[in-house]
Amino acid sequence: MAKIELPKDTREALARSLSAYIERELGLEVRGFDAQFLLDHMIEALGPHLYNQGLADAQAILSAKLEEITDAIYQIEAPAKL
């Protein structure tokens, strides 16, 4: 898996949200570089797990849809006369 790269505006918005959450829930002020550093750590630590879960969810959806298509093909199959 490649390193998770987020657009600058997304990273900044996430860092602000993380800062607000930490201040609201823990009463700590984490801003600027510290918030970015914490966000980078969280992405590195949690990102692969979330990514893998997303892949598993996509695979399950794809499998279900493929089964539906396979069933639809069998339904339109013409009977063969020997």
Side-chain angles (χ1 to χ4, degrees), residues 8 11-12 15 31-41:
K8 183 181 179 187
R11 284 178 50 76
E12 290 172 354
R31 303 213 186 280
F33 177 76
D34 291 335
Q36 291 282 339
F37 186 74
L38 180 57
L39 179 61
D40 288 342
H41 172 71

Side-chain angles (χ1 to χ4, degrees), residues 17 19-28:
S17 176
S19 293
Y21 176 81
I22 291 171
E23 188 167 351
R24 182 178 62 250
E25 296 297 323
L26 303 174
L28 301 172

Side-chain angles (χ1 to χ4, degrees), residues 50-82:
L50 300 173
Y51 179 84
N52 290 341
Q53 183 62 53
L55 290 178
D57 292 347
Q59 180 64 41
I61 291 169
L62 183 58
S63 292
K65 294 297 180 184
L66 186 56
E67 188 173 325
E68 288 177 24
I69 292 169
T70 301
D71 290 344
I73 291 170
Y74 283 129
Q75 289 176 8
I76 62 172
E77 193 174 69
K81 293 182 182 179
L82 298 175

